Amino acid sequence: MKIIFAGTPEFAATALQALIDAGHDIVAVYTQPDRPAGRGQKLTPSAVKALALQHNLPVHQPLSLKNNTEDGAAAQQQLQQYQADVMVVAAYGLILPKVVLEMPRFGCLNIHASLLPKWRGAAPIHRAVLAGDAASGITIMQMDVGLDTGAMLLKTSCPIDANDTSSSLHDKLARQGGEAITQVLQNIAVLEDYQRHQQVQDDSQATYAHKLVKAEAKINWQLSAVEIDRQIRAYQPWPVSFCELNGQTLRVWSATPCTEQDSQSNLVSIRAGTVIAVDKHGVQVICGDNTVLQITSLQWSGGKALNSVQMLQAQKITTGQVFQ
């Protein structure tokens, strides 16, 4: 089976590796142009490009695949010449126009990190953690011109554990995505069977996973400890939850909601965001609904992330201070 692969970040690279390991004929790889990265802002290839070059696969990095630009028109012509059986797309980052979707013999298949139609869009992993969903998963979808609206060929589920961050869930789903796409693409007969039995999405059940913005990671201490804990886990590895103390910005890397037995009583009159205890277990902060969050790792601007014992030793946080 002749496959064109289109993807950019590590999530996509995991799927590409799975297809390579399965022995598929990857005739071309499409990925985003190299971007500046790191302190030196050096042009850096995507994870997909780096992997493709390791395996001597042809790599293309068009700025667009739309024919209303010279670059896009040339990219379409080049893509057509490959005469691929199928194009696999995973977190590519470019819009595929209808003409491109119809170029491969069996169309374009997308590896989407949610149980569609829930969490269509750019940040399905983060939104699932943020919402407190019990499970996420992978959907292999036949792409159409809509945003993650195509018919579903295969869905696999993945439980979200109480301590999962977006980073840990990403890694689980990346592996699951590679397994799912290789299952669908075992051979042409298997692919045709999946396409015959595809399921149309119920648009009335759809939710949208909006792209993350840095500002939303600022902690609102009026929320409950459970909600703030979900935010802290959801905003890893980016943009990372943060708050302010005495004019300094602190990044909060990990925390855990205290149970009723662990938290102190008579907290009704205490302002949300107030530190009520600092010990070797962490920093306890009063949150909305008189709940308590225990911060177990945080980072001052310009410093390294500290664990609970290091926070106590630093003596920078004391009982009675208020996080903003």
Side-chain angles (χ1 to χ4, degrees):
M1 192 182 304
K2 294 171 65 177
I3 297 174
I4 292 174
F5 186 89
T8 298
E10 194 63 45
F11 179 87
T14 302
L16 176 58
Q17 184 66 64
L19 291 170
I20 293 170
D21 292 343
H24 285 293
D25 181 15
I26 313 296
V27 297
V29 172
Y30 284 74
T31 190
Q32 288 276 327
D34 297 1
R35 306 291 190 198
R39 291 185 178 179
Q41 290 295 285
K42 180 181 178 181
L43 281 179
T44 304
S46 70
V48 164
K49 178 180 179 179
L51 178 61
L53 293 178
Q54 288 177 23
H55 292 273
N56 299 312
L57 300 175
V59 175
H60 304 288
Q61 298 174 277
L63 296 173
S64 171
L65 286 170
K66 296 180 179 180
N67 61 9
N68 59 354
T69 67
E70 185 176 338
D71 182 62
Q76 283 192 15
Q77 186 177 18
Q78 185 178 57
L79 198 151
Q80 178 67 58
Q81 291 174 351
Y82 282 112
Q83 296 293 300
D85 291 310
V86 67
M87 183 172 179
V88 175
V89 182
Y92 179 26
L94 287 187
I95 294 174
L96 304 188
K98 188 172 186 289
V99 64
V100 171
L101 295 174
E102 295 175 347
M103 278 183 185
R105 179 182 171 192
F106 295 100
C108 298
L109 303 184
N110 179 245
I111 306 171
H112 187 74
S114 82
L115 297 172
L116 291 172
K118 191 169 189 179
W119 301 130
R120 295 173 177 173
I125 296 175
H126 305 80
R127 298 303 174 193
V129 175
L130 188 60
D133 290 352
S136 182
I138 290 292
T139 302
I140 304 299
M141 175 189 66
Q142 189 77 45
M143 296 180 70
D144 61 18
V145 294
L147 178 63
D148 300 327
T149 56
M152 303 175 294
L153 276 63
L154 174 66
K155 294 171 76 171
T156 63
S157 184
C158 176
I160 300 177
D161 296 332
N163 59 349
D164 264 329
T165 64
S166 290
S167 180
S168 64
L169 182 58
H170 165 280
D171 293 348
K172 294 178 186 179
L173 292 177
R175 292 190 295 270
Q176 200 169 92
E179 294 167 357
I181 194 62
T182 53
Q183 180 177 331
V184 171
L185 297 179
Q186 292 177 56
N187 53 55
I188 288 177
V190 170
L191 172 57
E192 289 179 320
D193 187 60
Y194 274 109
Q195 289 183 326
R196 277 194 300 270
H197 295 91
Q198 64 186 16
Q199 291 184 308
V200 176
Q201 294 188 44
D202 182 354
D203 290 342
S204 69
Q205 299 299 311
T207 56
Y208 184 64
H210 293 276
K211 184 178 180 179
L212 298 176
V213 294
K214 189 173 183 178
E216 68 181 282
K218 189 177 193 306
I219 296 174
N220 176 4
W221 297 103
Q222 299 294 334
L223 298 177
S224 71
V226 169
E227 291 173 297
I228 296 174
D229 168 57
R230 291 204 302 255
Q231 289 183 338
I232 292 168
R233 291 185 291 110
Y235 297 135
Q236 291 189 43
W238 191 89
V240 184
S241 290
F242 66 94
C243 61
E244 295 180 359
L245 180 65
N246 298 330
Q248 292 192 63
T249 298
L250 307 181
R251 305 173 87 186
V252 181
W253 287 99
S254 66
T256 182
C258 295
T259 63
E260 290 184 12
Q261 291 74 22
D262 293 334
S263 62
Q264 299 181 20
S265 58
N266 302 319
L267 301 175
V268 178
S269 61
I270 300 179
R271 177 182 174 185
T274 300
V275 176
I276 59 173
V278 183
D279 57 30
K280 65 180 180 179
H281 302 295
V283 176
Q284 290 189 11
V285 185
I286 184 69
C287 306
D289 299 330
N290 300 315
T291 56
V292 176
L293 184 75
Q294 184 163 269
I295 299 173
T296 53
S297 178
L298 56 72
Q299 178 182 10
W300 272 266
S301 180
K304 296 181 179 180
L306 304 180
N307 61 31
S308 56
V309 174
Q310 291 169 327
M311 285 189 288
L312 178 63
Q313 293 171 340
Q315 297 183 342
K316 289 186 177 182
I317 300 176
T318 59
T319 302
Q321 290 182 314
V322 181
F323 288 123
Q324 303 297 323

